[in-house]
Amino acid sequence: MKIDKLTLDNGLRVVHCHMPQTRMVALDVAYDVGARDEHPDHTGLAHLLEHLMFGGTPRIPDYDGPLQMAGGESNAWTNSDITNFYLTLPDTNVETGMWLESDRMTGMAFTPQGLEVQRRVVMEEFKQRCLNKPYGDVGHLLSPLSYKVHPYRWPAIGSCLEHVEQTTLADVEAFYRRFYAPDNAVLAIVGDIGWDDARRLACKWFDQLPSVSSAPRRLPQEPPQKEERRLVVERNVPFDALYMTFHMCGHNDARYPVFDLLSDVLANGASSRLRLRLVKERKLFNTIDASISGTRDAGLFHISGRPATGVTLPQAEEAVWHELELLAHEPVGQRELEKVKNKFESSRIFGNISYLNVAVSLAWNELAGKADDLLAEVPRYRAVTALQAMETAAATFRNDNASVLYYQGSSNRF
């Protein structure tokens, strides 16, 4: 995979990969703005802006119409770190995508009517995902339990419905003017388009856009956790659930692959430790999982599961701690470690077959560090040793680094 790069005079970073095996092109525009850039008393703005960015501009009132006429599709997502827009379309119509993305990068003019429509849409999404869905409020409970200072302490959708409801047109416009600009974005171009054409079109459509030169981000960093944190809630759900988090490093830290592989050792596949021992053999859990947050700043190692009928939450938690202590005191076997490394490598190989996956990955890696990091991922994971895994587990899976949420069904009191 050959990666081409260019930074325009206005600061827009352009990354490119030619994939001639498809007749399609993916454009991914990643903005360096997410929920962590919001004020704690006014959250949900980045996610709301994501919706508003599809509302058209004075020059192009209908974003979706021209894209669909060109045979294209688009979507977007927002998390704590970035806001990501992507579209795919035939290679012969790639300039339509450039035209659309450049127009909304600095050309949005929001209206009271448009804000009201999208605000209602986001509020309904909040209700559907967080208020009316079983276990939907877990993020709103676990994030502030795990974080006390860093803005990761609220989810991307917002910390409460009132913040979205009270957003004004002035709030939206100020947030847009501050963060949605070429010097705060990455444009990834991947598919059946050569570097000369990609560079020419990027310069044609984006080079004249003004930069914002915003002040450097100064986020409060989370201090080390020094004591165990616990929360018990009761909800109208059919099964109890256990949620545990442990503080870990951020995405660019050298230890990141170690944490990722540890999560795979615990819960990637039927033969992983937690699923084999606690679900299949001991039948203490119906389901269990382990994952990492993948955030740019110091993140979280997550473990979640639903105990089997008759198993209390304290019993389930004790079983999880036993498995974590084994990881911290016994090196992972070479065969077991090789298995999760092979799974990671195969997932990357198959994932990079998709031109859209490559575009999203290149944009994210360039925003978080440099696009070429994508090529170094597999070697970084291959270099992880059993000793590193054991030492990292011992340093991480401690009571004073743990936040534990007992999510209890109203009829399942222990």
Side-chain angles (χ1 to χ4, degrees), residues 103-114:
D103 182 64
R104 68 175 174 181
M105 181 170 281
T106 61
M108 298 298 299
F110 306 105
T111 65
Q113 297 81 5

Side-chain angles (χ1 to χ4, degrees), residues 156-409:
I157 199 167
S159 62
C160 63
L161 195 59
E162 290 74 20
H163 286 181
V164 179
E165 187 175 23
Q166 295 166 7
T167 299
T168 67
L169 198 61
D171 297 329
V172 167
E173 291 178 339
F175 200 77
Y176 175 75
R177 301 301 172 198
R178 180 181 176 190
F179 292 108
Y180 295 79
D183 51 328
N184 201 48
V186 172
L187 167 65
I189 308 167
V190 177
D192 189 22
I193 180 172
W195 174 228
D196 289 343
D197 286 336
R199 179 175 53 195
R200 175 180 58 81
L201 291 174
C203 290
K204 175 181 177 180
W205 289 105
F206 292 90
D207 201 28
Q208 302 305 314
L209 301 181
S211 59
V212 294
S213 301
S214 57
R217 180 183 282 107
R218 293 185 177 89
L219 300 179
Q221 295 304 298
E222 188 71 15
Q225 185 173 329
K226 296 182 179 180
E227 59 183 7
E228 186 179 73
R229 299 168 185 164
R230 288 186 171 271
L231 177 64
V232 179
V233 298
E234 186 176 295
R235 297 289 190 269
N236 183 23
V237 294
F239 303 104
D240 293 345
L242 171 69
Y243 299 91
M244 305 171 67
T245 66
F246 302 86
H247 289 278
M248 57 168 279
C249 65
H251 179 268
N252 289 339
D253 193 287
R255 298 165 296 167
Y256 184 84
V258 186
F259 284 104
D260 201 5
L261 291 177
L262 281 172
S263 72
D264 288 346
V265 167
L266 286 173
N268 187 346
S271 63
S272 60
R273 293 189 178 193
L274 296 182
R275 294 180 180 176
L276 177 64
R277 299 172 183 175
L278 303 190
V279 176
K280 184 176 181 180
E281 294 178 354
R282 300 181 63 188
K283 295 181 172 36
L284 296 174
F285 283 84
N286 290 323
T287 61
I288 194 165
D289 197 14
S291 62
I292 58 176
S293 58
T295 50
R296 293 170 70 178
D297 291 340
L300 296 175
F301 192 106
H302 291 262
I303 296 175
S304 61
R306 297 179 187 174
T309 302
V311 178
T312 67
L313 286 167
Q315 289 171 337
E317 183 189 352
E318 182 181 6
V320 172
W321 275 112
H322 176 70
E323 294 299 330
L324 297 180
E325 288 166 2
L326 289 177
L327 270 181
H329 294 94
E330 298 176 5
V332 178
Q334 189 58 41
R335 182 176 179 181
E336 187 178 16
L337 187 58
E338 189 69 16
K339 179 187 70 174
V340 294
K341 289 180 179 179
N342 289 342
K343 281 189 173 183
F344 175 83
E345 183 171 3
S346 64
S347 71
R348 285 299 181 268
I349 291 173
F350 285 109
N352 288 341
I353 293 174
S354 164
Y355 66 102
L356 177 56
N357 284 351
V358 172
V360 173
S361 296
L362 284 179
W364 159 249
N365 277 279
E366 181 65 22
L367 208 59
K370 58 182 185 296
D372 304 81
D373 290 341
L374 180 64
L375 305 178
E377 274 190 320
V378 171
R380 286 178 65 201
Y381 278 68
R382 283 290 179 192
V384 173
T385 67
L387 179 60
Q388 286 177 317
M390 184 178 68
E391 291 176 344
T392 300
T396 304
F397 302 133
R398 312 183 322 268
N399 291 88
D400 61 353
N401 191 42
S403 297
V404 182
L405 169 63
Y406 281 7
Y407 200 98
Q408 190 178 352

Side-chain angles (χ1 to χ4, degrees), residues 70-82:
E73 297 179 340
S74 69
N75 213 328
W77 47 265
T78 304
N79 63 23
S80 294
D81 293 317
I82 72 169

